[in-house]
């Protein structure tokens, strides 16, 4: 397999490698600098959260239930009469603030009797009851009965101090469970969640990330309660996705019977208990565009562990390598593209593929460094596209300098719209063209009788008059040779053979008309009058740049050029001003009025060539588009 342009492909690959190394290094540094809030990780977290919205809600894990200390549970006086509350002692105790520990003892006993697999209190019990030791004793006694089914929350806090010299000291404090309860040996779990760069709870920390002696709350809630690696929480949906019941349902007989199926909804379930109110201040940002109570985040974390579908983070080393591969892959792909628009299209396509790939990996349970992947490919693509644009502009300027005085504006504009196609011809390409040669008759004696400055001025007026009809027919001025003009029709842009041949004839007729007007002007000014001869031939030539590296000139060479020059030389001896060859005549015979001059042997040629003198055009529609002072941009 070959690149279209090895040098250009090498530049593209180099840009891809550079971009991959740059962004891979940035990602590596950002991933290991846990203290920093980095833009790359912030963007990753936002995209990661967006993936949940794209995926949509899913069914919650069936083994997880939430009992909410909600607004209704804390305002029972608004739901029940005094008589109704007195009929249910536990409900009556819940009208006090804070709740007595006996209420939580009743909760644990009710759920334990219902067969709950685990009762997880997302509530910190680090102080003694305000209602006295007896209240603590009641709760401790029930904890002892259900110690293996019970999980309590503990929390961890850090205090960072900056020491002299700039070093940091971190003091870790653990908020413990009240000793009376801890003595019963229940399970303990740390409720702390790390926040992502965009301040969302996305990750269930690994056991060693928080405290060597404590498991994260969700890990401690399941069996076996063994340390596990850090995982992304696979949220099942927004707040309310997991079944949630107000805690007071446990103690109101009709709700217990009908809403909770006499406790059957808790049988063999992990039941999480926590505050869901605004005043509880346990609300956190999640990917679902709303605040979620901490207890429901724990429910999602527990469900993630039970289902074994946590989002696994890619180690920073592998992430950096993947970013490098993205940059290199983009560089290789860019090497096969030519032009600004294809490269820009590839850049956008690469970004789309990268985003789709990262989303697909997310659905399979992997969290890729999506921002780094997109940045590596995009930077390489934008840089290469910019360089390509600069290069194309430079090429257009170079082509403009080469051709602006040689071709018609419409032709030049078309070439500059597709410079790559024309650039391919600069090295030499076989083309079929109509060649036009013109020369002033008797120029030598004319020059001998005039001052040099007057002669140059006269020639410039002549050339200006002759160039206009050539450009009007979209011909290319090849060169001026003394008093002669060489022009081609069909290069650098080719229409068709008949069109190019007719354009050359029409240009010659326009030159005849322009010379007549110029002669009239010169006669009034007292200048000597002169005539010219024009020869036109159609054939194959090689078109391209000719010369040295210091000076290149776009031209055509070949036998067809020599034939056209010989035809021009014969105009004087044959007494005609425009001669065309048989090849031209066959292409324009239905459009041009001619005089058949028979066969003639050209200088340097062994075989005779049939010649025709052009008298005019047969149809008015074929009339030359040239008028003095007017440049046509149309096609003949």
């Amino acid at each position: 397999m070959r690149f279209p342009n090895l040098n250009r492909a090498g530049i593209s690959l180099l840009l891809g490698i550079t971009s991959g190394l740059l962004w891979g290094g940035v990602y590596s540094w950002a991933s290991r600098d846990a203290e920093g809030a980095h833009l790359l990780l912030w963007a990753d977290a936002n995209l990661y959260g967006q993936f949940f919205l794209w995926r949509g809600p899913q069914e919650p894990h069936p083994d997880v239930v939430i009992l909410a200390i909600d607004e209704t549970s804390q305002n029972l006086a608004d739901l029940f009469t005094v008589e109704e509350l007195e009929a249910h002692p536990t409900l009556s105790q819940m009208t006090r603030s804070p709740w007595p520990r006996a209420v939580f003892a009743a909760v644990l006993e009710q759920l334990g009797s219902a067969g709950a697999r685990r009762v997880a209190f997302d509530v910190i019990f680090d102080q003694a009851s305000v209602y006295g030791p007896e209240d603590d004793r009641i709760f401790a006694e029930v904890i002892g009965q259900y110690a293996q089914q019970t999980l309590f929350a503990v929390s961890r806090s850090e205090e960072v101090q900056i020491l002299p010299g700039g070093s940091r000291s971190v003091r870790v404090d653990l908020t413990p469970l009240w000793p009376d309860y801890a003595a019963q040996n229940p399970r303990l779990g740390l409720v702390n969640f790390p926040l992502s760069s965009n301040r969302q709870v996305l990750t269930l920390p690994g056991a060693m990330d928080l405290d060597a002696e404590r498991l994260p709350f969700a890990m401690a809630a399941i069996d076996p309660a063994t340390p596990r690696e850090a995982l992304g929480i696979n949220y099942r949906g927004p707040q309310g996705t997991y079944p949630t019941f107000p805690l007071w349902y446990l103690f109101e007989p009709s709700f217990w019977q009908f809403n909770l199926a006499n406790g059957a909804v808790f049988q063999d379930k992990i039941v999480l208990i926590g505050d869901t109110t605004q005043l509880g201040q346990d609300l956190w940002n999640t990917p679902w565009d709303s605040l979620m109570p901490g207890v429901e985040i724990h429910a999602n974390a527990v469900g993630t562990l039970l289902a074994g579908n946590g989002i696994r983070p890619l180690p920073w080393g592998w992430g950096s390598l993947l970013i490098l591969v993205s940059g290199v892959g983009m560089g290789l792909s860019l090497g096969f593209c030519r032009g600004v628009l294809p490269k820009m299209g590839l850049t956008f396509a690469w970004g789309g593929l990268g985003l789709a790939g990262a989303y697909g990996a997310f659905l399979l349970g992997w969290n890729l460094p999506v921002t780094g992947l997109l940045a590596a490919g995009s930077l390489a693509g934008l840089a290469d596209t910019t360089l390509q644009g600069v290069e194309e502009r430079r090429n257009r300027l170079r082509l403009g300098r080469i051709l602006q005085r040689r071709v018609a504006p419409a032709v030049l504009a078309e070439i500059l719209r597709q410079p790559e196609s024309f650039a391919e011809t600069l090295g030499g390409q076989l083309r079929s063209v109509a060649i036009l040669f013109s020369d002033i008759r008797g120029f030598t004696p004319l020059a001998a009788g005039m001052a040099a400055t007057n002669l140059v001025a006269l020639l410039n007026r002549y050339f200006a008059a002759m160039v206009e009809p050539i450009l009007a027919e979209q011909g290319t001025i090849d060169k001026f040779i003394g008093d002669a003009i060489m022009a081609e029709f069909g290069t650098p842009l080719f229409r068709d053979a008949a069109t190019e041949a007719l354009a050359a004839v029409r240009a010659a007729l326009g030159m005849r008309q322009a010379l007549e007007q110029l002669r009239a002007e010169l006669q009034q000014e007292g200048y000597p009058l002169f005539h010219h001869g024009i020869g036109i031939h159609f054939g194959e030539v090689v078109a391209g740049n000719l010369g040295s590296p210091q000076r290149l000139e776009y031209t055509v060479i070949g036998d067809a050029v020599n034939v056209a020059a010989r035809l021009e030389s014969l105009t004087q001896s044959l007494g005609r001003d425009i001669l065309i060859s048989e090849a031209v005549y066959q292409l324009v015979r239905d459009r041009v009025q001619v005089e058949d001059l028979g066969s003639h042997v050209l200088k340097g040629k062994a075989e005779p060539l049939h010649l025709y003198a052009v008298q005019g055009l047969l149809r008015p529609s074929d009339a030359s588009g040239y008028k003095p002072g007017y440049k046509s941009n149309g096609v003949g």
Side-chain angles (χ1 to χ4, degrees), residues 426-443:
L426 295 180
Q429 193 174 67
L430 193 64
R431 307 294 291 267
S432 294
V433 299
I435 307 294
L436 182 150
F437 259 96
S438 75
D439 191 16
I440 296 177
R441 295 176 183 169
F443 179 72

Side-chain angles (χ1 to χ4, degrees), residues 32 55 85 90 166 211 246 265 280 300 369 374 389 424 458 468 534 544:
R32 290 182 293 172
R55 186 203 66 190
L85 290 173
T90 304
D211 189 276
V265 297
N300 278 278
L374 298 180
E424 293 176 355
L458 180 61
E468 285 198 37
I534 300 174

Side-chain angles (χ1 to χ4, degrees), residues 336-578:
F336 289 95
C337 287
R338 301 182 65 183
V340 170
L341 290 180
K343 288 181 183 289
M344 182 61 72
L346 176 62
T347 301
F348 282 107
W350 192 271
L353 288 174
L355 192 60
Y359 178 61
F362 164 80
L363 295 178
L364 295 175
W366 287 98
N367 181 17
L368 303 185
V370 57
T371 306
L373 294 175
L374 298 180
S378 298
L379 178 61
L382 291 175
D384 198 40
T385 300
T386 301
L387 288 178
Q388 181 73 47
V390 171
E391 183 178 327
E392 288 187 4
R393 178 170 176 78
R394 187 176 65 245
N395 289 339
R396 286 190 179 95
L397 291 174
R398 181 169 63 91
L399 291 177
R401 286 193 298 269
I402 293 174
L403 300 174
Q404 63 183 347
R405 298 184 180 181
R406 297 169 177 257
V407 300
V411 176
L412 180 58
E414 181 64 27
I415 292 171
L416 295 182
R417 277 196 292 269
Q418 46 182 353
E420 298 87 359
S421 300
F422 176 69
E424 293 176 355
T425 70
L426 295 180
Q429 193 174 67
L430 193 64
R431 307 294 291 267
S432 294
V433 299
I435 307 294
L436 182 150
F437 259 96
S438 75
D439 191 16
I440 296 177
R441 295 176 183 169
F443 179 72
T444 301
L446 179 67
M450 294 182 65
T453 55
N454 291 338
L455 179 63
V456 170
L458 180 61
L459 279 177
N460 284 337
R461 289 179 66 182
Y462 169 74
F463 286 144
M466 297 303 105
V467 163
E468 285 198 37
I470 294 174
L471 295 182
E473 296 300 332
Q474 299 192 12
T476 299
I477 304 298
D478 191 297
K479 60 176 65 71
F480 299 100
I481 312 168
D483 60 321
I485 301 174
M486 175 181 170
E488 300 96 47
F489 297 80
T491 183
L493 297 182
F494 183 78
R495 291 164 287 189
D496 61 75
T499 299
E500 301 299 352
L502 182 60
V505 173
R506 290 171 55 175
L509 292 172
M511 293 168 71
R512 174 192 285 171
Q513 178 185 351
L515 181 59
E516 290 175 359
Q517 180 171 326
L518 178 61
R519 282 166 53 85
E521 295 173 359
L522 294 176
Q523 187 174 22
Q524 292 180 356
E525 297 171 14
Y527 280 97
L529 303 183
F530 55 85
H531 299 275
H532 68 191
I534 300 174
I536 304 174
H537 179 57
F538 190 91
E540 288 189 338
V541 296
V542 175
N545 273 332
L546 190 66
S548 69
Q550 290 74 28
R551 180 174 176 80
L552 289 173
E553 184 176 72
Y554 184 76
T555 188
V556 298
I557 58 174
D559 186 62
V561 177
N562 297 329
V563 172
R566 298 291 183 267
L567 290 179
E568 181 275 320
S569 298
L570 279 177
T571 57
Q572 186 168 4
S573 61
L574 295 178
R576 305 292 189 275
D577 65 339
I578 303 175

Side-chain angles (χ1 to χ4, degrees), residues 553-634:
E553 184 176 72
Y554 184 76
T555 188
V556 298
I557 58 174
D559 186 62
V561 177
N562 297 329
V563 172
R566 298 291 183 267
L567 290 179
E568 181 275 320
S569 298
L570 279 177
T571 57
Q572 186 168 4
S573 61
L574 295 178
R576 305 292 189 275
D577 65 339
I578 303 175
L579 295 182
I580 62 174
S581 65
E582 179 72 25
V584 175
Y585 176 70
Q586 293 301 326
L587 293 171
V588 300
R589 58 188 303 172
D590 296 331
R591 314 283 290 275
V592 178
Q593 181 178 357
V594 298
E595 176 188 357
D596 190 337
L597 300 179
S599 298
H600 296 264
V601 177
L602 303 184
K603 183 178 180 181
K605 298 291 183 180
E607 296 294 329
L609 187 67
H610 208 102
L611 304 181
Y612 301 86
V614 176
Q615 296 176 335
L617 298 174
L618 289 175
R619 294 181 292 184
S621 61
D622 292 330
S624 173
Y626 168 75
K627 295 180 182 178
Y630 171 75
K631 294 183 179 179
S632 170
N633 288 326

